[in-house]
C-alpha cells in the first residue's frame, strides 16, 4: 500500500526533524533534554506509523481474499527468512492449505507483490496464463518507484511491462505460434550462440582441472560464474571474466546489485529504499551507486556498439571466434529498422531483464541437473552413453552443434524432469484480475493479485504419479508428461506459458543441452560422503530456489 496523501506531510515533517537531529549529533552539539524528548517523540511517531502500515499492508490480507485458506503472515515470512527449503514449506504449510478446497487455491504474502492468491492446479493455471485480458501482468507497484528493484528490473522491458502499447511495440506476431514475441528475440533465436556456450564450457573445465588433488566443487558458485559470462557476452558483448576471476570489479558489482535487489528488508519496506531516506541507510546508498555505475556502463556499451555497427557487420568483438550476434546488436538493428521506436532506455531495461531471466535461473537449473545425475548413477550412465554416441569418446572436449543437441533426447528428458521436480522459481510474477471472474470454481474479485505456486503444481499428487521421484522417462514420447498434458494442460510450466512466457526459454534450454553432454563426456559425478544433500536437494525459499552449499565430486574421464 503506497503512502496516502494524508501521511506524506507527516512523513516529510518527521524526516526533516530526524535529519536535523542527525546533523546535530554529527557536529557534536549538545543534545538538551528537550531535544532528547523530541527525538523520542519522533521515533515513537515512526514506530506508530510503521506498525500501522505493517498491520494494514502485511498482516491482514485484502478483505476480498480472506475467505480462502491462508498461510499466516508470521509463519510464512518466518519460514522464508529462516531459509527453510521450499519443499518443506510446501509439505507443512501451503500443501495442506491447497488440499482444503476443490480449486486448490490459497493465499500467502509475497515480499515482492504483497498478498496474493496462489494457484496449484493445471486447469486454473491454464486460464490464468492464457486469458491475458482477464489476468494481465501486474503493473510495478507505485511504492517501489526509485527502489533498486524498480531501477534494475521493473523498467520498460517486455518482462515487467503490463499489457499495453509500449509492451506491444516491442513484440511481433510469430507466424508459427501466433504469439507475440520480442522483435529482437526472434532474431536472437535464429542466431542462438551455441558455439559460445561450448567455448565457455571448455573454459570452465580448464578451471576445474586446475584442482589436481580434489575435484569436489561448489556447483552453484561455478555455474553462476559460467552463466554470468554467457549472459554478458551473449547479451551485450561484455566479458565479466567471472569464470577465471570470481572477485573482479564487475563481478563483485553485479553480485552486490543482485543481493541488494532481493534484500528482504527493502522488499518489505520499499519506501525506505530511495534517495529520500539515504541518510539513514548509507550502505543502501552505496548499492544505488553501484547500480548507477552498472547502468552507466550499459549505456556506454550501447553508444559504442551503435558506432561499431555503422562501420561493420555487427560481429562480436569480445567473442571473435564466432559470428553469433549478441542480443544488444540485434536490438540495435531492430531499433534502426523501427526508426527509433525502441529507445535506449528500453534497450537497457531489456538487457537487465535478460540478466534476471537468464542468469541465476539457468545456473540453478544446471546445478539441480548435476545433483540429479550425481544421485542417480543409472540415469547418469544412460545420459553419458547418449552423449558419447553423438559426440564420440575421444579424450578431448567436443563442442556440440545445434544439430547434434537435437540428437540427444534422453538428456532433454533429464533437463525437463529436473525442471519439474526441482522447480527453479517459487512463483510466476503476479497477474491482476481485471473484472470479477470465476477461476476453476473460485470467484475472484477485480483487483485481486494471482500467482502460481510452481512447486505445488509440478509436484501435485493429483496430477503426477509419485511426484517427488526423479524419473526422466516421464518425458519420453507417449510417456506420463504427454498424457498429463493432454488430460489437464499447463501442468509443466517452468518458463510460464502464453503471451508472457519467459523470453529466455530457448536460450536457457540450449545452454543446458550444450553444457550437460560436454560435462558427462568428461566427468563422472557423485556426492561427497558427508553431503548435507544426501536425502534431498536443499534449496533457499526466496524467489529463485537456489541449492544451498551443494558440493559435487567430479572424476575426470580424460
Amino acid at each position: 500500500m503506497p503512502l496516502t496523501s494524508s501521511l506524506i506531510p507527516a512523513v516529510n515533517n518527521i524526516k526533516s526533524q530526524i535529519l536535523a537531529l542527525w546533523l546535530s549529533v554529527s557536529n557534536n552539539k549538545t543534545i538538551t533534554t528537550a531535544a532528547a524528548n523530541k527525538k523520542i517523540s519522533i521515533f515513537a511517531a515512526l514506530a506508530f506509523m510503521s506498525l500501522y502500515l505493517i498491520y494494514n499492508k502485511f498482516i491482514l490480507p485484502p478483505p476480498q481474499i480472506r475467505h480462502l485458506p491462508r498461510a499466516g503472515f508470521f509463519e510464512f515470512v518466518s519460514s522464508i527468512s529462516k531459509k527453510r527449503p521450499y519443499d518443506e514449506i510446501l509439505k507443512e504449510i501451503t500443501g495442506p492449505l491447497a488440499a482444503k478446497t476443490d480449486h486448490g487455491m490459497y493465499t500467502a504474502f509475497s515480499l515482492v507483490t504483497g498478498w496474493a492468491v496462489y494457484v496449484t492446479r493445471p486447469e486454473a493455471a491454464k486460464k490464468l496464463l492464457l486469458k491475458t485480458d482477464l489476468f494481465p501482468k501486474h503493473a510495478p507497484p507505485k511504492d517501489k518507484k526509485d527502489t533498486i528493484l524498480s531501477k534494475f528490473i521493473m523498467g520498460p522491458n517486455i518482462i515487467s511491462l503490463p499489457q499495453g502499447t509500449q509492451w506491444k511495440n516491442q513484440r511481433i506476431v510469430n507466424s508459427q505460434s501466433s504469439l507475440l514475441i520480442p522483435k529482437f528475440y526472434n532474431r536472437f533465436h535464429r542466431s542462438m550462440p551455441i558455439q559460445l556456450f561450448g567455448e565457455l564450457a571448455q573454459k570452465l573445465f580448464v578451471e576445474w582441472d586446475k584442482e589436481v588433488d580434489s575435484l569436489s566443487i561448489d556447483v552453484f558458485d561455478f555455474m553462476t560464474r559460467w552463466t554470468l559470462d554467457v549472459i554478458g557476452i551473449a547479451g551485450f558483448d561484455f566479458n565479466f571474466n567471472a569464470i577465471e576471476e570470481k572477485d573482479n570489479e564487475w563481478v563483485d558489482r553485479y553480485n552486490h546489485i543482485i543481493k541488494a535487489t532481493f534484500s528482504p528488508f527493502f522488499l518489505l519496506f520499499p519506501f525506505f529504499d530511495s534517495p529520500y531516506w539515504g541518510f539513514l541507510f548509507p550502505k543502501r546508498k552505496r548499492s544505488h551507486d553501484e547500480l548507477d555505475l552498472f547502468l552507466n556502463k550499459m549505456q556506454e556499451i550501447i553508444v559504442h556498439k551503435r558506432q561499431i555497427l555503422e562501420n561493420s557487420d555487427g560481429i562480436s568483438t569480445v567473442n571473435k571466434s564466432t559470428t553469433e550476434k549478441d542480443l544488444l546488436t540485434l536490438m540495435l538493428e531492430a531499433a534502426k529498422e523501427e526508426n527509433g521506436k525502441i529507445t535506449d532506455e528500453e534497450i537497457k531495461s531489456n538487457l537487465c531483464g535478460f540478466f534476471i531471466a537468464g542468469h541465476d535461473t539457468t545456473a540453478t537449473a544446471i546445478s539441480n541437473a548435476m545433483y540429479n545425475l550425481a544421485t542417480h548413477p543409472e540415469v547418469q550412465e544412460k545420459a553419458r552413453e547418449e552423449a558419447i554416441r553423438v559426440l564420440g569418446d575421444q579424450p578431448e572436449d567436443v563442442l556440440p552443434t545445434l544439430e547434434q543437441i537435437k540428437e540427444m533426447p534422453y538428456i532433454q528428458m533429464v533437463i525437463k524432469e529436473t525442471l519439474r521436480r526441482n522447480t527453479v522459481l517459487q512463483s510466476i510474477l503476479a497477474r491482476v484480475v481485471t473484472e470479477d471472474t470465476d477461476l476453476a470454481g473460485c470467484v475472484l474479485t477485480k483487483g485481486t493479485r494471482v500467482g502460481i505456486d510452481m512447486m505445488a503444481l509440478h509436484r501435485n499428487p493429483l496430477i503426477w504419479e509419485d511426484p517427488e521421484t526423479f524419473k526422466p522417462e516421464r518425458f519420453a514420447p507417449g510417456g506420463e508428461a504427454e498424457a498429463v498434458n493432454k488430460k489437464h494442460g499447463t501442468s509443466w510450466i517452468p518458463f510460464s506459458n502464453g503471451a508472457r512466457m519467459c523470453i529466455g526459454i530457448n536460450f536457457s534450454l540450449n545452454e543446458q543441452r550444450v553444457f550437460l553432454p560436454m560435462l558427462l563426456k568428461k566427468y563422472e559425478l557423485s556426492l561427497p560422503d558427508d553431503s548435507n544433500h544426501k536425502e534431498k536437494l536443499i534449496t533457499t525459499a526466496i524467489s529463485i530456489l537456489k541449492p544451498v552449499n551443494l558440493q559435487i565430486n567430479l572424476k575426470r574421464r580424460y
Side-chain angles (χ1 to χ4, degrees):
M1 181 181 79
L3 292 176
T4 63
S5 57
S6 60
L7 281 174
I8 290 175
V11 172
N12 288 338
N13 182 49
I14 289 171
K15 183 198 169 185
S16 62
Q17 293 182 63
I18 292 176
L19 182 58
L21 285 168
W22 194 279
L23 292 173
S24 176
V25 172
S26 64
N27 292 328
N28 295 316
K29 295 179 180 178
T30 303
I31 299 179
T32 64
T33 302
N37 290 336
K38 189 176 183 182
K39 182 177 180 180
I40 292 172
S41 299
I42 291 171
F43 281 99
L46 270 178
F48 176 80
M49 182 182 71
S50 298
L51 288 173
Y52 173 82
L53 291 173
I54 288 171
Y55 185 77
N56 283 277
K57 179 177 179 179
F58 305 142
I59 297 177
L60 280 182
Q64 67 267 28
I65 61 173
R66 290 177 191 170
H67 64 287
L68 293 173
R70 180 198 318 174
F73 171 83
F74 292 108
E75 179 184 26
F76 192 70
V77 173
S78 173
S79 296
I80 298 292
S81 62
K82 290 178 181 177
K83 299 180 179 180
R84 291 187 65 192
Y86 195 73
D87 61 339
E88 292 183 7
I89 296 174
L90 173 64
K91 184 176 181 180
E92 299 174 16
I93 302 176
T94 58
L97 293 175
K100 286 184 177 181
T101 62
D102 292 336
H103 52 67
M105 296 182 210
Y106 69 88
T107 64
F109 183 85
S110 163
L111 292 174
V112 177
T113 59
W115 282 97
V117 175
Y118 287 92
V119 166
T120 64
R121 308 282 171 83
E123 295 83 2
K126 183 177 181 179
K127 183 175 180 180
L128 178 68
L129 296 177
L130 299 185
K131 296 286 186 179
T132 54
D133 54 336
L134 283 175
F135 307 101
K137 183 165 285 190
H138 179 57
K142 292 181 179 179
D143 64 349
K144 288 183 170 55
K145 183 182 179 182
D146 297 327
T147 65
I148 288 178
L149 179 71
S150 177
K151 287 164 64 177
F152 188 41
I153 300 175
M154 295 181 175
N157 59 65
I158 55 178
I159 297 174
S160 300
L161 283 170
Q163 269 88 316
T165 302
Q166 192 175 13
W167 178 75
K168 288 181 179 179
N169 281 344
Q170 296 185 34
R171 305 177 80 89
I172 59 173
V173 177
N174 182 285
S175 59
Q176 295 179 344
S177 64
S178 297
L179 292 176
L180 285 169
I181 64 172
K183 297 175 181 179
F184 52 83
Y185 195 76
N186 191 42
R187 299 163 177 256
F188 196 45
H189 174 67
R190 298 196 302 266
S191 172
M192 191 63 63
I194 300 297
Q195 186 175 338
L196 172 65
F197 301 155
E199 290 171 350
L200 290 178
Q202 282 182 314
K203 189 175 180 181
L204 180 64
F205 296 164
V206 169
E207 293 301 306
W208 286 352
D209 289 348
K210 290 179 181 178
E211 302 290 335
V212 178
D213 298 325
S214 172
L215 268 180
S216 180
I217 64 166
D218 184 334
V219 170
F220 187 66
D221 172 64
F222 272 107
M223 295 322 306
T224 53
R225 289 157 60 184
W226 182 75
T227 53
L228 184 57
D229 280 352
V230 169
I231 289 286
I233 297 174
F236 61 115
D237 207 8
F238 181 80
N239 192 351
F240 284 92
N241 202 25
I243 293 173
E244 294 180 326
E245 301 175 16
K246 65 178 293 185
D247 297 317
N248 70 51
E249 176 189 0
W250 284 100
V251 173
D252 282 348
R253 177 163 293 126
Y254 178 80
N255 289 335
H256 180 98
I257 293 166
I258 290 296
K259 184 177 180 181
T261 300
F262 296 102
S263 167
F265 176 81
F266 291 102
L267 288 177
L268 203 58
F269 301 106
F271 44 88
F272 286 133
D273 187 14
S274 73
Y276 197 77
W277 296 98
F279 70 100
L280 284 180
F281 304 100
K283 290 184 178 179
R284 195 63 176 178
K285 184 180 182 304
R286 184 212 157 189
S287 298
H288 279 272
D289 292 341
E290 292 290 321
L291 177 58
D292 290 341
L293 287 171
F294 186 79
L295 295 176
N296 289 339
K297 184 66 174 179
M298 276 191 172
Q299 183 61 41
E300 176 187 316
I301 292 172
I302 290 171
V303 172
H304 180 63
K305 174 71 72 173
R306 184 180 284 112
Q307 293 172 346
I308 291 176
L309 289 176
E310 292 176 357
N311 302 301
S312 73
D313 59 4
I315 295 175
S316 168
T317 56
V318 172
N319 190 36
K320 294 181 180 178
S321 63
T322 177
T323 58
E324 298 162 342
K325 292 184 179 180
D326 59 82
L327 182 59
L328 174 56
T329 295
L330 298 172
M331 283 195 282
L332 290 172
E333 289 177 348
K336 185 176 182 180
E337 290 181 8
E338 292 293 315
N339 296 319
K341 285 185 179 179
I342 304 175
T343 66
D344 278 9
E345 189 62 27
E346 289 172 331
I347 289 172
K348 187 163 53 177
S349 182
N350 275 293
L351 287 174
C352 290
F354 189 53
F355 273 96
I356 294 299
H359 178 227
D360 276 4
T361 50
T362 300
T364 298
I366 295 177
S367 299
N368 294 347
M370 290 177 67
Y371 169 80
N372 285 326
L373 291 168
T375 53
H376 296 80
E378 71 289 350
V379 173
Q380 181 182 161
E381 188 54 36
K382 186 173 180 180
R384 178 176 295 108
E385 289 173 359
E386 182 176 74
I388 290 173
R389 175 181 58 79
V390 176
L391 302 179
D393 201 17
Q394 61 274 40
E396 62 182 17
D397 298 337
V398 176
L399 277 61
T401 65
L402 183 59
E403 291 70 27
Q404 285 176 322
I405 63 176
K406 294 176 182 178
E407 296 173 14
M408 294 183 267
Y410 187 72
I411 291 176
Q412 172 80 341
M413 294 178 208
V414 169
I415 293 169
K416 287 187 173 183
E417 174 66 348
T418 294
L419 291 171
R420 182 202 66 81
R421 178 176 179 255
N422 305 108
T423 304
V424 171
L425 295 176
Q426 178 185 345
S427 173
I428 63 164
L429 292 176
R431 307 295 193 256
V432 60
V433 181
T434 56
E435 60 183 65
D436 295 356
T437 189
D438 179 281
L439 183 62
C442 178
V443 176
L444 300 176
T445 58
K446 181 180 179 178
T448 300
R449 298 174 186 174
V450 190
I452 297 176
D453 185 328
M454 302 288 271
M455 185 177 288
L457 178 66
H458 287 167
R459 294 195 187 186
N460 192 327
L462 299 175
I463 309 301
W464 300 96
E465 180 182 337
D466 198 11
E468 296 189 13
T469 300
F470 180 72
K471 294 192 298 184
E473 289 75 14
R474 292 182 202 271
F475 289 90
E480 181 189 359
E482 190 175 304
V484 164
N485 190 58
K486 284 182 179 179
K487 182 177 181 181
H488 301 283
T490 321
S491 45
W492 183 83
I493 52 168
F495 300 94
S496 189
N497 205 336
R500 304 307 297 247
M501 179 184 286
C502 174
I503 64 167
I505 176 172
N506 288 321
F507 188 87
S508 177
L509 288 174
N510 282 325
E511 279 182 276
Q512 297 175 63
R513 290 166 181 159
V514 170
F515 183 83
L516 290 177
M518 293 181 67
L519 172 77
L520 289 163
K521 183 176 182 294
K522 183 158 188 173
Y523 301 101
E524 295 177 0
L525 292 69
S526 62
L527 284 188
D529 293 336
D530 60 350
S531 174
N532 60 336
H533 298 269
K534 280 286 187 182
E535 300 300 322
K536 65 176 182 178
L537 182 63
I538 299 172
T539 66
T540 59
I542 298 180
S543 188
I544 301 174
L545 309 182
K546 308 171 186 177
V548 178
N549 190 28
L550 175 60
Q551 299 284 328
I552 287 183
N553 293 332
L554 298 179
K555 180 181 177 182
R556 289 173 57 180
R557 299 184 66 248
Y558 59 85

